[in-house]
Amino acid sequence: MNVMNASPRRKELTRLAAQLFVQEGFDRTTVRMLAQEMGIKSGSLFHHFKDKQEILAAVIEEGTQNALGIAKAALQSCPGSAEARLHAMARAHLETLFADRNAHVVALFEWRRLDPAASAHLSHLRDAYEAMWGEVIDDALAEGLIHGDRFLVSRFILGALNWTVRWYDPNGPRTPDDLADELVAMILSR
Amino acid sequence: MNVMNASPRRKELTRLAAQLFVQEGFDRTTVRMLAQEMGIKSGSLFHHFKDKQEILAAVIEEGTQNALGIAKAALQSCPGSAEARLHAMARAHLETLFADRNAHVVALFEWRRLDPAASAHLSHLRDAYEAMWGEVIDDALAEGLIHGDRFLVSRFILGALNWTVRWYDPNGPRTPDDLADELVAMILSR
DNA sequence: GTCTATAGCGGGATAGAC
DNA sequence: GTCTATCCCGCTATAGAC
């Protein structure tokens, strides 16, 4: 069962689960579908995960951790300008949604399906990610690049980014980076 | 069964269904839960609706129609200024999400659960609503109030508004109108 | 670590009386 | 228009062999 481990096998299964959860939604994804995608029978799944909930928790943990890691990397390889950091965060966010793919989408859209215990256990991760955004936005406000309420600006920006999952076509003419840049341009004071 | 009717009874049941769909999500809402909320037994439900899908379609149709109606009313009782119309649309949108309540939220968040036939039948309604937004945004762009790509600006604004469902607390200090005004302020060119 | 087999439950939907 | 009763199905999860 390996409750708290991160064996390569479990990692791989988590990746496949994320894909199905995005396509079908958590509730409509059955353990039989998951097993088939993984090339095993449904009974075997429960050797790796205690129950379906634990699969969701694993996906969401990975998705949030990825987002955190990619955002940190983006900020480090980034000049000091607050405007550049804003761009970097927006690009990183969309990168986790459309390139790294799936797990972060599940974290954002299926969070409510977590049971209270898992939600409590993972909320510090989500909070850490949002805190990074908070800092970047604070700096941008302080420099007068954008204006408005710290909290609301954060929510609106993340909302605009998250909702791209519902309409953006990665095979269309625009890249995720185009989207990120356009969003930042839209809110910059001129 | 009354497939295409809008009897007061059916209207009332649709309203109750919308509430449960928002609280639990469509997939996790059972016909037994719906029936209990309506004060009848689950078997009786199918006298009013052919199946569970039809309940969803009824909720989404009502939610989109409401949004359309409220937005139209907001624009009509509104001076010609593009900025005022932008405010009016944002306020109207949040009003349907948090005051009128529930049905429009379902339309936005459970659209993918519609079967293809229902989706095709209802998409013209959604398109009409989005077209209203498109016009108001075109005017704002033409007047130089905001800047950016017509399509992307629309998507970003609606995304920011829609995502409020996930974090906004109507019992907190801010009113929906506060949110609408802050969002518009955030994107206005200064 | 995977299999087969199946328990046990709860879901959507139907039939026919009232 | 609502009830009771129930069918049938598919779901999650378990048990034990290999």
Side-chain angles (χ1 to χ4, degrees), chain B:
Chain B
M1 190 186 308
N2 292 325
V3 173
M4 269 302 143
N5 94 358
S7 67
R9 181 71 172 139
R10 186 172 152 126
K11 264 265 182 182
E12 168 70 0
L13 299 181
T14 302
R15 213 181 54 77
L16 292 168
Q19 190 185 334
L20 271 176
F21 289 166
V22 169
Q23 278 171 30
E24 304 289 329
F26 174 70
D27 292 324
R28 296 170 72 89
T29 302
T30 68
V31 294
R32 287 172 173 85
M33 291 164 69
L34 288 164
Q36 182 165 34
E37 197 75 10
M38 297 166 180
I40 57 180
K41 301 296 179 183
S42 68
S44 309
L45 239 185
F46 296 93
H47 178 76
H48 302 279
F49 301 92
K50 168 171 140 283
D51 54 21
K52 199 185 164 192
Q53 261 294 319
E54 196 178 280
I55 307 179
L56 178 63
V59 170
I60 289 185
E61 174 161 15
E62 206 215 299
T64 312
Q65 207 104 58
N66 281 177
L68 208 48
I70 291 181
K72 264 182 192 153
L75 285 191
Q76 278 169 358
S77 67
C78 188
S81 138
E83 183 172 343
R85 288 209 300 282
L86 210 51
H87 272 96
M89 285 296 286
R91 287 179 173 221
H93 195 83
L94 292 180
E95 183 186 337
T96 62
L97 295 184
F98 298 111
D100 168 55
R101 204 136 206 176
N102 293 331
H104 193 203
V105 177
V106 175
L108 293 169
F109 282 84
E110 308 282 3
W111 186 278
R112 296 186 333 152
R113 302 278 80 101
L114 285 173
D115 64 36
S119 176
H121 177 248
L122 293 175
S123 60
H124 75 280
L125 266 182
R126 186 201 49 193
D127 293 346
Y129 182 67
E130 291 183 355
M132 290 188 62
W133 269 99
E135 283 181 36
V136 171
I137 284 169
D138 277 345
D139 292 348
L141 286 168
E143 291 194 18
L145 292 172
I146 58 180
H147 46 270
D149 176 79
R150 178 192 192 285
F151 175 76
L152 291 179
V153 167
S154 300
R155 296 293 185 180
F156 288 147
I157 292 176
L158 280 169
L161 290 171
N162 292 342
W163 199 258
T164 59
V165 170
R166 284 276 187 270
W167 59 265
Y168 173 61
D169 173 15
N171 299 122
R174 296 180 177 90
T175 66
D177 282 359
D178 291 339
L179 266 55
D181 294 346
E182 276 266 11
L183 177 62
V184 173
M186 186 179 85
I187 59 171
L188 284 182
S189 310
R190 291 286 167 82

